[in-house]
């Protein structure tokens, strides 16, 4: 699976959009970009994923650059409950072999009141 | 409600006393796996299972065993726990290696 690079921490004001960047310059053509988050010590929670088109769901939007070397997760109206560590992971969908997700250190997003 | 459950949520034990952490999912997922999370090391996969009776080692399998006799259950067995297995453990399941659903975690302390 391709390696990702994320800033270690970010702040965002409550009610504003939180934009979390991720670099994945070695991504392969069949690898998807997945985002998970972990609130305190709870189990990681799936947010969104995409291949090359932008995606949106009830939680967030995912913007993938045309060359697919980077992406941005957008939380449109951040709340205090969005304070968490956010992980960007690239992997082949359906894995084939191991189901393993390679978690890096992620971005610790802190929402300020 | 679709979910992954783990038991116990918290456990303090002593070195060498065998223990089992249970994991169950109600989504009919084929894939199940176990992770441990340690400060500074992030989440690391211990074992995974692609289906019933099919298991394989992840990145840090030493000191652990698993079994997959039923599709919904994937217990993690520590036959002789040691203090370096003190950690936060997560079970996860997914359909064909796609979106993974994680359990709430089991915090294990081995004295």
């Amino acid at each position: 699976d391709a390696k990702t690079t994320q800033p270690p921490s970010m702040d965002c004001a409550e009610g504003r959009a939180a934009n979390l960047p991720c670099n994945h310059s070695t991504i392969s053509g069949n690898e998807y970009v997945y985002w998970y988050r972990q609130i305190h010590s709870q189990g990681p929670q799936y947010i969104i994923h995409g291949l090359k088109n932008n995606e949106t769901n009830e939680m967030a939007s995912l913007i993938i650059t045309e060359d697919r070397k980077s992406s941005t997760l957008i939380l449109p109206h951040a709340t205090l409950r969005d304070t968490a560590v956010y992980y960007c992971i690239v992997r082949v969908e359906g894995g084939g072999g191991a189901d393993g997700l390679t978690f890096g250190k992620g971005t610790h997003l802190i929402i300020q009141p | 409600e679709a979910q992954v459950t783990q038991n116990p949520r918290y456990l303090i034990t002593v070195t060498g006393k065998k223990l089992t952490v249970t994991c169950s999912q109600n989504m009919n997922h084929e894939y199940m796996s176990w992770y441990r999370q340690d400060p500074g090391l992030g989440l690391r996969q211990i074992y995974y299972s692609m289906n019933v009776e099919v298991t394989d080692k992840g990145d840090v399998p030493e000191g652990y065993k698993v079994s997959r006799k039923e599709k919904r259950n994937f217990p993690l067995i520590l036959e002789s726990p040691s203090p370096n297995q003190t950690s936060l453990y997560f079970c996860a399941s997914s359909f064909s290696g796609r979106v993974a659903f994680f359990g709430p975690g089991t915090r294990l302390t081995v004295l």
Side-chain angles (χ1 to χ4, degrees):
Chain A
D1 293 340
K3 182 178 170 61
T4 62
T5 304
Q6 300 177 249
S9 65
M10 293 181 63
D11 287 350
C12 179
E14 189 177 18
R16 304 296 293 269
N19 295 274
L20 292 89
C22 179
N23 285 321
H24 32 79
S25 58
T26 60
I27 192 170
S28 301
N30 62 345
E31 286 183 314
Y32 286 70
V33 181
Y34 281 77
W35 284 84
Y36 286 80
R37 73 180 183 183
Q38 186 174 25
I39 297 172
H40 193 43
S41 294
Q42 298 178 22
Q45 175 190 24
Y46 165 78
I47 301 172
I48 199 168
H49 76 288
L51 182 63
K52 51 184 177 183
N53 296 323
N54 298 336
E55 302 287 345
T56 295
N57 63 21
E58 64 279 3
M59 288 183 69
S61 295
L62 174 60
I63 309 297
I64 303 174
T65 58
E66 194 168 340
D67 64 7
R68 304 209 322 122
K69 292 183 186 299
S70 66
S71 60
T72 301
L73 177 74
I74 302 172
L75 308 178
H77 304 288
T79 71
L80 297 178
R81 288 176 295 181
D82 292 320
T83 292
V85 178
Y86 288 76
Y87 298 99
C88 169
I89 300 167
V90 292
R91 66 191 299 262
V92 175
E93 188 175 65
D99 179 22
L101 293 164
T102 301
F103 288 85
K105 296 191 185 306
T107 296
H108 187 194
L109 175 67
I110 300 171
I111 306 300
Q112 305 282 3
Chain B
E1 179 190 355
Q3 61 182 347
V4 178
T5 57
Q6 295 179 225
N7 282 293
R9 295 288 314 280
Y10 302 90
L11 179 61
I12 300 174
T13 189
V14 295
T15 298
K17 185 176 181 182
K18 181 179 179 180
L19 66 93
T20 299
V21 184
T22 64
C23 172
S24 182
Q25 50 93 5
N26 62 359
M27 295 167 279
N28 203 36
H29 287 162
E30 305 103 327
Y31 279 55
M32 296 187 75
S33 56
W34 277 101
Y35 294 80
R36 63 178 288 174
Q37 185 171 30
D38 304 289
L41 296 177
L43 281 139
R44 296 176 292 167
Q45 191 183 50
I46 304 170
Y47 267 95
Y48 65 94
S49 169
M50 294 171 63
N51 215 323
V52 175
E53 302 292 2
V54 180
T55 64
D56 210 342
K57 297 176 181 179
D59 299 319
V60 287
E62 295 77 21
Y64 304 95
K65 284 177 58 177
V66 292
S67 70
R68 188 90 182 275
K69 294 183 169 48
E70 305 167 280
K71 199 171 188 179
R72 63 182 294 128
N73 296 323
F74 190 45
L76 179 70
I77 302 157
L78 285 72
E79 299 244 336
S80 184
S82 62
N84 65 10
Q85 292 178 297
T86 292
S87 187
L88 181 56
Y89 292 87
F90 293 103
C91 179
S93 74
S94 67
F95 177 65
S96 296
R98 293 183 172 85
V99 173
F101 291 80
F102 284 80
T106 294
R107 189 169 291 280
L108 173 66
T109 301
V110 183
L111 302 175

